[in-house]
């Protein structure tokens, strides 16, 4: 029996327009009625996710900032911050490579107001809660995630960042123009949540599409990978999925995955 479903958002649950598919809220309510905890597991911040899922947010759990912040029952049940000295080194690398900087705390993201188009995108399209700073030294709270964004050239930058940081932090390409650093990963957040709720691996399912979803998919008994994802992410036991919502609806009807084809 399924008791927990976690899903990535961008490239997974969301439409190509970046919106929730029609019927999402009703499906979350149906899953909740079956005793299934629906969880958004994303690189996005908590405020962003709560606004996106506002009608059903109180019924959900949230794994935010690529696993560095976990929320259940409206309560923060765990955070994983980047060590301050490591954070400053990461920031220096991002700035050296000409990337736009985004620093995530618990309740806000910090930005340098150097690129108005980038700032407006974070505020108005992603709808993040934002604090504008003059310098990274102005951030006094623990840094949960540090991200670099660049319009072009990430494929040339990423290998150097991976060589330097793999093994020291979770360093990952998280989209066509984003690179994220955390001291956690989505699997970290999933383990926090499953420990708090007593849900076992064989009672959990998850949906993802990118390399930063691997740890989440490995943490559940029923992993689903989007068909458009990089084939390198395919593993034995992973089911391929074209759209998330129809699978969620079937689970809401049946309470299990036994009738689903591979």
């Amino acid at each position: 029996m399924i008791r927990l479903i976690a899903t990535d958002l961008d490239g997974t649950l969301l439409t190509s327009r970046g919106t929730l598919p029609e019927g999402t809220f009703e499906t979350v309510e149906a899953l909740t009625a079956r005793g299934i905890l629906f969880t958004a597991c994303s690189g996005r911040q908590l405020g962003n996710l709560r606004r996106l899922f506002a009608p059903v947010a109180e019924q959900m759990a949230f794994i935010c900032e690529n696993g560095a912040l976990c929320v259940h029952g409206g309560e923060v049940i765990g955070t994983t911050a980047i060590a301050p000295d490591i954070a400053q080194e990461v920031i220096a690398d991002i700035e050296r490579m000409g990337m736009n900087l985004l620093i995530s705390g618990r309740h806000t993201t910090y930005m340098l107001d150097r690129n108005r188009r980038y700032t407006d995108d974070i505020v108005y399209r992603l709808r993040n809660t934002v604090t504008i700073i003059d310098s990274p030294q102005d951030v006094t709270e623990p840094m949960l995630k540090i991200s670099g964004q660049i319009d072009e050239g990430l494929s040339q930058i990423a290998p150097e960042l991976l060589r330097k940081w793999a093994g020291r932090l979770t360093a990952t390409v998280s989209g066509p123009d984003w690179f994220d650093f955390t001291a956690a990963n989505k699997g970290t957040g999933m383990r926090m949540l499953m420990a708090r709720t007593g849900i076992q691996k064989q009672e959990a399912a998850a949906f993802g599409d990118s390399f930063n979803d691997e740890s989440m998919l490995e943490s559940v008994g029923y992993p689903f990978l989007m068909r458009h994802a990089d084939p390198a992410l395919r593993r034995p036991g992973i089911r391929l999925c074209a759209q998330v919502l129809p699978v969620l609806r079937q689970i809401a009807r049946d309470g299990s995955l036994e009738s689903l084809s591979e």
Side-chain angles (χ1 to χ4, degrees):
M1 179 178 175
I2 299 299
R3 296 177 59 202
L4 167 66
I5 296 174
T7 183
D8 173 54
L9 296 184
D10 298 280
T12 304
L13 177 62
L14 300 186
T15 69
S16 59
R17 301 184 304 278
T19 59
L20 289 169
E22 186 175 353
T24 296
F25 300 141
E26 294 85 351
T27 303
V28 172
E29 289 173 343
L31 290 168
T32 303
R34 272 203 173 268
I36 299 171
L37 178 62
F38 183 74
T39 303
C41 190
S42 172
R44 297 187 182 208
Q45 68 171 185
L46 177 60
N48 177 297
L49 294 175
R50 290 189 63 85
R51 283 188 288 274
L52 182 65
F53 288 96
V56 292
E58 298 307 315
Q59 305 172 31
M60 296 174 54
F62 297 97
I63 296 171
C64 321
E65 309 294 0
N66 282 341
L69 174 65
C70 186
V71 175
H72 175 247
E75 175 191 357
V76 174
I77 62 173
T79 61
T80 307
I82 301 172
D85 57 332
I86 299 297
Q88 295 307 317
E89 189 177 351
V90 168
I91 290 168
D93 280 353
I94 288 173
E95 296 201 303
R96 174 174 57 84
M97 293 181 170
M99 304 177 82
N100 294 306
L101 176 67
L102 192 69
I103 300 170
S104 299
R106 270 201 185 199
H107 302 294
T108 189
T109 47
Y110 297 90
M111 303 181 67
L112 302 166
D113 194 15
R114 296 175 180 170
N115 183 329
R116 175 57 63 178
R117 183 180 61 80
Y118 168 64
T119 303
D120 287 348
D121 185 63
I122 298 298
V123 173
Y124 298 112
R125 184 181 66 83
L126 290 182
R127 298 182 65 203
N128 269 24
T129 301
V130 168
T131 300
I132 301 298
I133 54 175
D134 294 324
S135 164
Q137 307 303 322
D138 295 339
V139 179
T140 58
E141 68 167 307
M143 299 183 188
L144 303 183
K145 186 180 71 176
I146 303 172
S147 302
Q149 185 276 339
I150 192 165
D151 291 339
E152 297 180 359
L154 182 61
S155 60
Q156 287 75 48
I157 291 172
E160 179 181 342
L161 293 174
L162 289 168
R163 280 193 299 271
K164 177 175 180 178
W165 291 103
R168 298 175 66 190
L169 290 174
T170 299
T172 182
V173 174
S174 59
D177 56 348
W178 284 93
F179 198 99
D180 290 342
F181 296 88
T182 58
N185 56 42
K186 290 185 178 183
T188 307
M190 289 289 288
R191 289 189 292 274
M192 286 182 191
L193 179 60
M194 293 164 77
R196 173 60 67 96
T197 58
I199 294 172
Q200 302 300 308
K201 181 175 181 176
Q202 65 270 21
E203 297 174 312
F207 298 80
D209 79 312
S210 187
F211 287 95
N212 68 349
D213 297 319
E214 279 190 289
S215 60
M216 173 184 67
L217 297 178
E218 291 169 355
S219 71
V220 302
Y222 297 94
F224 287 81
L225 181 69
M226 304 308 291
R227 288 190 181 275
H228 63 255
D230 190 320
L233 288 165
R234 298 184 183 186
R235 301 283 187 274
I238 286 185
R239 300 167 183 246
L240 297 182
C241 177
Q243 292 182 306
V244 174
L245 193 61
V247 181
L248 297 182
R249 285 173 169 159
Q250 186 164 345
I251 297 170
R253 286 195 304 269
D254 302 342
S256 75
L257 289 161
E258 299 308 317
S259 61
L260 291 176
S261 60
E262 293 289 339

